[in-house]
Amino acid sequence: MTHRVGIIGLGTVGARFVEQFNHHTDFDLVAAWDPDAAACAMHAADVKIVADAASVVSAADAVYIAVPPLFHSAYVEQCINARVAIFCEKPLGINVQESRRLVDLVDSSGLPAGVNFVFSAAPSAVELQRRVASGEIGQIIRGDLRLHFAEWPRPWHAKAQWLRLRDQGGWIREVASHFVFVAQRVLGPLSIDAAVVTHPDGPTGTLCETDALARMSGPDAPLVMIGTSEGIGPDVNDLTIRGTAGSLRIWDWYRLQHTTGGEWSDVVGTDRAQLGADAYAAQLDELSKLLDGTPSSIATFAESLAVQELVEAMLSGVS
């Protein structure tokens, strides 16, 4: 069946999903709204712009909430009250207690609900999980996550300057969380052992982190993260799962590679643009299944909360 979907928020990510929904045969994008009139005008040719968020909710069977995390809970509650399915950006919020309450509300509602972690369906992450589960790389020894951003926010985030501030933003919440999510699916539930996070304006300032080191423990293997920002050079994102018989890594977002001790070899292709397109198409395939009431790999609100709890503990500098 075709799902009537609306979008609240037409910033960097919401705008991307205007195109994705319009290109996917399972969805009919019926309404969108953003508090920024310029953002609405920019997309008026591609989606019907309505008067406010409530109008999006009333027009759709499912709503994609693509606004900064401070506003997620209000729109999730609007959807619950209207009995409309929910697809929400991560993190659920910036207050863990509030997010726990939100998870309880969503669970109690019985509505289809999921969170937009792209690695819930991306072919690289799905194949990584399959190969690990099959025992291809032997017993898992550890996970290593390396991140670097030459600029933060990145150039395409020009209209999302809240990402540079520590109250809602930062690359740990925005990017590291994606990799922590898939690491938890591979390594099992993680807990923070220790974390050190540095801010350019000190512990009481407003700017987000510039470097972070964290160690997390899983049931059988740890995950160690080192991340930095600022400084010339290509960005780095590399999640490596190391085993006794080989290792697998997701890097450059959507590429998957394998090694048994020699050079890394590609597993799911090398065309970065195509791999990204495949990841978003797969995400909407799984979202359609969720809305149909069939088994889906879309991240649950509970999974998103577990990631948020790790991220916020990390940002607090646990030691």
Side-chain angles (χ1 to χ4, degrees):
M1 63 178 291
T2 301
H3 305 289
R4 292 167 51 84
V5 65
I7 300 176
I8 299 175
L10 291 169
T12 303
V13 181
R16 185 180 301 160
F17 271 86
V18 170
E19 179 181 12
Q20 297 298 323
F21 282 128
N22 279 335
H23 285 171
H24 200 290
T25 58
D26 288 358
F27 295 92
D28 180 13
L29 180 58
V30 296
W33 172 80
D34 190 286
D36 181 356
C40 291
M42 186 179 300
H43 299 285
D46 303 309
V47 57
K48 180 181 179 181
I49 301 299
V50 294
D52 51 27
S55 299
V56 174
V57 174
S58 64
D61 302 319
V63 169
Y64 173 40
I65 299 169
V67 295
L70 184 63
F71 307 103
H72 287 175
S73 62
Y75 295 133
V76 168
E77 290 188 44
Q78 281 190 35
C79 290
I80 290 173
N81 292 336
R83 304 300 298 166
V84 168
I86 303 157
F87 187 47
C88 188
E89 262 308 312
K90 51 82 195 155
L92 296 181
I94 56 173
N95 180 300
V96 171
Q97 288 71 33
E98 173 66 11
S99 294
R100 288 173 182 156
R101 185 187 71 86
L102 205 60
V103 170
D104 289 341
L105 286 175
V106 167
D107 288 347
S108 298
S109 76
L111 290 165
V115 180
N116 186 30
F117 280 100
V118 70
F119 287 137
S120 64
S124 57
V126 172
E127 183 64 8
L128 170 71
Q129 292 172 72
R130 187 193 71 77
R131 290 182 176 227
V132 169
S134 73
E136 179 177 313
I137 62 172
Q139 180 183 347
I140 303 305
I141 301 300
R142 60 182 298 111
D144 293 320
L145 174 57
R146 296 187 303 125
L147 300 166
H148 177 72
F149 305 96
E151 294 181 57
W152 187 267
R154 291 165 291 181
W156 59 89
H157 286 140
K159 294 183 179 180
Q161 287 302 303
W162 58 271
L163 286 170
R164 64 190 289 269
L165 302 176
R166 74 179 71 173
D167 61 341
Q168 295 186 74
W171 46 263
I172 293 178
R173 288 191 183 111
E174 184 68 13
V175 180
S177 61
H178 282 289
F179 294 93
V180 171
F181 165 79
V182 73
Q184 288 214 120
R185 283 200 168 178
V186 173
L187 301 175
L190 298 170
S191 59
I192 295 283
D193 296 329
V196 178
V197 177
T198 303
H199 300 86
D201 54 351
T204 60
T206 60
L207 297 178
C208 74
E209 66 277 359
T210 50
D211 54 84
L213 176 64
R215 187 185 194 279
M216 290 159 265
S217 290
D220 301 307
L223 174 69
V224 174
M225 185 193 91
I226 182 168
T228 54
S229 58
E230 301 181 357
I232 297 301
D235 285 358
V236 175
N237 57 76
D238 179 341
L239 172 65
T240 301
I241 306 298
R242 303 186 189 276
T244 55
S247 296
L248 291 156
R249 72 171 183 174
I250 295 174
W251 72 287
D252 193 22
W253 277 103
Y254 304 115
R255 298 180 68 176
L256 179 65
Q257 293 189 322
H258 174 258
T259 182
T260 55
E263 295 295 320
W264 291 100
S265 60
D266 290 295
V267 174
V268 295
T270 60
D271 185 331
R272 171 67 169 74
Q274 186 59 53
L275 290 170
D278 291 346
Y280 277 95
Q283 184 80 325
L284 291 193
D285 289 345
E286 293 300 316
L287 178 60
S288 181
K289 293 177 186 178
L290 176 74
L291 299 178
D292 284 337
T294 59
S296 167
S297 67
I298 290 292
T300 66
F301 267 61
E303 283 183 293
S304 181
L305 174 61
V307 172
Q308 182 184 345
E309 288 172 335
L310 285 170
V311 164
E312 296 304 320
M314 195 184 306
L315 288 169
S316 72
V318 174
S319 62

